Amino acid sequence: MTQLLDAARAELAPNGRLRAALNYANTLLISARGPEPTGVAPDLARELAKRAGAAVEFIGYANAGLAADAAATGAWDVAFIGAEPQRAGEIAFSPAYVEIEATFLVPAGSPLLRIDDVDRDGVHIATAARAAYTLFLQRTLRHAALVEAEGLPGAFTRFIEMKLDALAGLKPNLIADAGRVPGSRVLDGRFTAVQQSMGVPKPRTAAAAYLAEFAREITTSGLLRELIARHQVDGLTIVK
């Protein structure tokens, strides 16, 4: 077990309380909300609090972007969100501990057969505002246009109601959505893999150093694999 030094403990759990920010939009890491959230990320927060000898307090956000915004306000001590360059100005991220493939759902009869087909002039993609995969598409698309909505449910609604060409999202969620759209297809492969990390507000350097070691420990010790199995999550790949 990685030793938690006093300096890191003071930064992770000021006044004996570890405030953990959760991205409620990521249902693979947060299985259920509530006063006592369940899932892989909440259990990791509990493990960190246990090591710090602290109480844990969960702070939920509707999406990762809102959680990232709150870093500058001191609203939380550790966050479980995707590591993206746009978020690194205010947050020191650990190495990724899991990743989730992102791809596209296309409607019945779509001429888009492969992921490389999607970035074309005239193609409109529904996507969740401020999701890590949306930030990636904003950086990389050259021809297709994004139509952003609040969360994956909002993006799904726009995909259907506006008869858009594709819906971007995490593959496990899109597979579930495909069952609601007769004839739709989830495109093989991925346009990115969203890497999930733990982050602390800058400049908490001692806490950041500890989280880096903690991330390596949980991916090699079997703890992370045990949590994924306990919560019966499909679609998470452990990063080693």
Side-chain angles (χ1 to χ4, degrees), residues 70-82:
T73 71
W76 49 260
D77 302 306
V78 60
F80 294 82
I81 58 176

Side-chain angles (χ1 to χ4, degrees), residues 46-131:
R46 292 183 178 100
E47 177 65 20
L48 280 173
K50 177 182 176 182
R51 295 186 181 196
V56 63
E57 175 185 338
F58 293 106
I59 304 173
Y61 294 89
N63 58 60
L66 293 175
D69 288 346
T73 71
W76 49 260
D77 302 306
V78 60
F80 294 82
I81 58 176
E84 274 291 314
Q86 291 94 322
R87 299 170 183 164
E90 299 288 346
I91 302 171
F93 285 106
S94 73
Y97 59 95
V98 292
E99 64 179 16
I100 311 168
E101 291 187 336
T103 183
F104 300 105
L105 176 70
V106 297
S110 172
L112 305 177
L113 303 178
R114 299 175 301 274
I115 285 178
D116 289 345
D117 295 336
V118 176
D119 192 11
R120 295 178 177 178
D121 290 335
V123 170
H124 291 81
I125 305 166
T127 192
R130 309 193 68 184

Side-chain angles (χ1 to χ4, degrees), residues 22 38 46 54 59 79 96 107 120 123 132 159 178 195 202 225 233 236:
L22 302 178
T38 60
R46 292 183 178 100
I59 304 173
R120 295 178 177 178
V123 170
F159 172 65
Q195 296 201 319
K202 288 184 174 179
R225 190 175 304 280
V233 184
L236 293 178

